[in-house]
Amino acid sequence: MKRLAMAGLMAAALLAVSATAQAHVSVSIGIGIPGIVYGPPPVYVAPAPVYVPPPPPVMVIPGPVGYVPYDPYWRERRWEQERRWERERYREERHYRRHGYRD
């Protein structure tokens, strides 16, 4: 029984494959002559004119010009400020370490 069923399945599969494998040639001839077409002539409607005024002129008003004196000691003051900040930070860290605070 199994052999008969297997043979039937094989036959069906072969028929399905052979049906798709058929090749044929088809020839078609077409003559592209349109029929009589009648319609109204094309109409062009121009859009309404639009006036866009130019943008207003940009007025540039220079800021006040002033004299800034040169300070030759600004680097030293900056250095002193940074050192002071570092000393304060070191004191805080030392305080926290001494009293048992951990990150």
Side-chain angles (χ1 to χ4, degrees):
M1 189 69 172
K2 286 184 182 180
R3 283 187 176 177
L4 185 60
M6 189 61 113
L9 282 173
M10 292 294 282
L14 287 174
L15 285 176
V17 170
S18 67
T20 59
Q22 291 178 0
H24 64 278
V25 177
S26 62
V27 178
S28 64
I29 299 173
I31 301 173
I33 299 175
I36 298 173
V37 177
Y38 176 76
V43 178
Y44 174 73
V45 178
V50 176
Y51 174 72
V52 178
V58 178
M59 301 203 52
V60 178
I61 301 172
V65 178
Y67 173 72
V68 179
Y70 174 71
D71 184 11
Y73 301 108
W74 70 271
R75 281 195 178 109
E76 293 177 17
R77 282 198 308 278
R78 174 69 186 239
W79 184 82
E80 289 172 2
Q81 289 173 354
E82 288 179 3
R83 290 292 296 162
R84 188 177 311 122
W85 181 78
E86 288 175 4
R87 274 186 260 130
E88 290 174 4
R89 184 170 174 219
Y90 177 72
R91 279 191 209 123
E92 289 176 5
E93 288 177 0
R94 198 173 61 192
H95 171 78
Y96 287 130
R97 271 190 261 127
R98 184 179 302 146
H99 293 288
Y101 296 107
R102 299 285 180 212
D103 288 345

